[in-house]
């Protein structure tokens, strides 16, 4: 939840957006900055407790945020399961606009598009106010649904948008996916695995991956190990084939924005850097990659915003990986 703000700020860097990132930062109340500085260093010690604290801080701010000019159509089915649901946040009086989809996290076993009356609908409303069709979706969860069910749901959602976005003012040829945490894993699995999307490709124009897992090598002390196993299973011999990063080389290149943050859960910073290196190696150029630093003052880490092939090579060397680190 703490990283939800990163989606709003980070996506302001995409060409489709009109509001710069620093404009978002300037609106953060000083009291909120101070409270985040207190919460962030302890994030991993009580993840769910800190989620609740952060929700309590942000919900009244989001409730007071402007919402004019946006109409919302809720609880639309994009597939047969009860979890195959989405909300459409439409910019009034606009047609043929880009489509931006937000897929929540929740450690594979929990999460929803509506945590409360404001979250995560605020993400889709934000994009609608920037002149886009905002889509707030959800998907099936473990243990009832196991890998690759959630990535298959991403495919169902994209195909529904291909068929129906125009009727709601969206351009089906300009669909962008944002995945946060587990949602990022599901988006990456969908776009990188050819067996999970149509033969002509995933049908999206770009992706934003925030604090996801892409190389599956969970450790015994991982706080989300049981949740990971609930979705991916306990057979570690399957993890290399399930890892999205191992399908990057044969996947269709897409405009990509990778984000991690200073107080991410253990290993998520490494996960983002590993995927960055894989994309740099495949494309011989690197996508935008940002580290969000937030203590008293929030800022982008300028050292990693525009990485190079040389930077990626240094990371691979310092990570201790021998040969190809992605197999």
């Amino acid at each position: 939840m703490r990283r939800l703000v990163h989606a709003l700020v980070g996506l302001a860097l995409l060409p489709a957006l009109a509001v710069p990132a620093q404009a978002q930062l300037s609106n953060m109340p000083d009291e909120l900055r101070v409270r985040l500085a207190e919460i962030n260093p302890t994030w991993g010690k009580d993840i769910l407790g800190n989620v609740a604290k952060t929700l309590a801080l942000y919900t009244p701010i989001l409730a007071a945020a402007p919402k004019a000019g946006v109409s919302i159509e809720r609880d639309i089915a994009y597939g047969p399961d009860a979890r195959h649901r989405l909300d459409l946040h439409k910019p009034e009086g606009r047609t043929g606009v880009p489509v931006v989809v937000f897929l929540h996290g929740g450690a594979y076993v929990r999460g929803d598009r509506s945590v409360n009356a404001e979250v995560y609908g605020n993400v889709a409303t934000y994009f609608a106010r920037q002149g886009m069709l905002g889509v707030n979706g959800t998907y099936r969860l473990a243990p009832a649904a196991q890998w690759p069910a959630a990535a298959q749901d991403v495919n169902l959602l994209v195909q529904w948008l291909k068929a129906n976005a125009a009727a709601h003012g969206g351009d089906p040829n300009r669909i962008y996916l944002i995945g946060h945490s587990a949602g990022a894993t599901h988006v990456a699995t969908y776009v990188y695995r050819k067996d999970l999307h149509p033969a002509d490709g995933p049908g999206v124009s770009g992706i934003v991956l925030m604090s996801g897992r892409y190389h599956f090598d969970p450790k015994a002390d991982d706080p989300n190990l049981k949740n990971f196993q609930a979705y991916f299973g306990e057979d570690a011999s399957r993890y290399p084939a399930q890892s999205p990063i191992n399908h990057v080389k044969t996947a269709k290149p897409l405009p990509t924005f990778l984000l991690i943050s200073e107080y991410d859960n253990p290993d998520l910073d490494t996960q983002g850097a590993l995927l960055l290196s894989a994309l740099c190696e495949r494309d011989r150029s690197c996508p935008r990659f940002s580290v969000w630093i937030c203590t008293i003052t929030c800022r982008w880490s300028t050292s990693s915003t525009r990485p190079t092939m040389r930077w990626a090579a240094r990371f691979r060397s310092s990570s201790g990986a021998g040969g190809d680190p992605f197999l």
Side-chain angles (χ1 to χ4, degrees):
M1 181 58 230
R2 168 181 58 87
R3 286 162 282 167
L4 174 58
V5 176
H6 310 166
L8 301 181
V9 176
L11 286 190
L13 299 177
L14 287 178
L17 293 181
V19 178
Q22 292 304 319
Q24 296 296 319
L25 292 180
S26 66
N27 293 331
M28 183 181 289
D30 290 339
E31 181 181 353
L32 178 57
R33 293 175 187 265
V34 172
R35 288 292 289 124
L36 290 178
E38 297 170 352
I39 294 171
N40 285 343
T42 68
W43 186 264
K45 297 177 181 179
D46 182 15
I47 295 173
L48 294 182
N50 284 323
V51 165
K53 292 177 183 177
T54 310
L55 274 172
L57 290 170
Y58 273 107
T59 297
I61 297 173
L62 296 173
K67 300 178 179 66
V70 178
S71 62
I72 304 175
E73 189 170 347
R74 302 186 187 276
D75 205 32
I76 301 172
Y78 68 84
D81 192 86
R83 296 279 302 180
H84 292 153
R85 295 293 184 271
L86 58 82
D87 299 335
L88 295 177
H89 296 235
K90 309 176 188 180
E92 294 176 352
R94 302 287 295 272
T95 59
V97 299
V99 181
V100 180
V101 182
F102 180 78
L103 293 171
H104 61 82
Y108 311 106
V109 299
R110 57 181 176 266
D112 207 320
R113 68 189 189 278
S114 296
V115 176
N116 60 30
E118 303 298 331
V119 180
Y120 292 98
N122 65 303
V123 180
T125 291
Y126 172 84
F127 287 109
R129 283 178 56 82
Q130 308 309 312
M132 300 169 232
L133 177 61
V135 182
N136 186 21
T138 193
Y139 48 83
R140 290 174 290 169
L141 302 174
Q146 295 184 319
W147 183 90
Q152 292 170 333
D153 294 347
V154 178
N155 176 51
L156 281 177
L157 195 157
V158 170
Q159 299 314 312
W160 187 93
L161 288 170
K162 287 288 188 184
N164 296 281
H168 297 278
D171 182 349
N173 295 314
R174 289 190 291 167
I175 298 173
Y176 298 86
L177 302 180
I178 310 168
H180 171 229
S181 193
T185 302
H186 301 322
V187 169
T189 301
Y190 168 68
V191 300
Y192 295 142
R193 290 189 63 105
K194 292 183 176 181
D195 57 337
L196 293 178
H197 56 244
D200 58 352
V204 298
S205 297
I207 58 174
V208 179
L209 303 176
M210 304 167 56
S211 302
R213 294 177 186 267
Y214 317 107
H215 176 257
F216 302 153
D217 183 23
K219 304 298 187 289
D221 60 352
D222 189 321
N224 281 318
L225 178 61
K226 291 300 183 182
N227 297 331
F228 174 91
Q229 291 174 332
Y231 182 67
F232 293 100
E234 298 183 20
D235 183 357
S237 68
R238 299 178 61 199
Y239 295 163
Q242 292 173 318
S243 297
I245 202 168
N246 291 334
H247 301 271
V248 164
K249 288 183 178 179
T250 58
K252 176 183 178 181
L254 281 172
T256 300
F257 186 9
L258 297 173
L259 294 96
I260 59 175
S261 60
E262 183 179 10
Y263 296 106
D264 262 331
N265 294 349
D267 191 41
L268 293 187
D269 53 350
T270 307
Q271 293 283 325
L274 284 170
L275 181 58
L276 168 71
S277 185
L279 293 170
C280 293
E281 181 180 48
R282 182 194 67 184
D283 299 337
R284 310 309 297 174
S285 65
C286 299
R288 183 176 290 277
F289 177 82
S290 290
V291 182
W292 184 240
I293 307 297
C294 193
T295 50
I296 293 296
T297 302
C298 298
R299 62 181 174 83
W300 292 109
S301 170
T302 55
S303 64
S304 61
T305 303
R306 294 186 181 278
T308 63
M309 287 294 295
R310 183 176 298 177
W311 182 94
R314 285 203 306 270
F315 172 79
R316 291 178 58 185
S317 176
S318 64
S319 70
D324 191 333
F326 314 118
L327 297 178

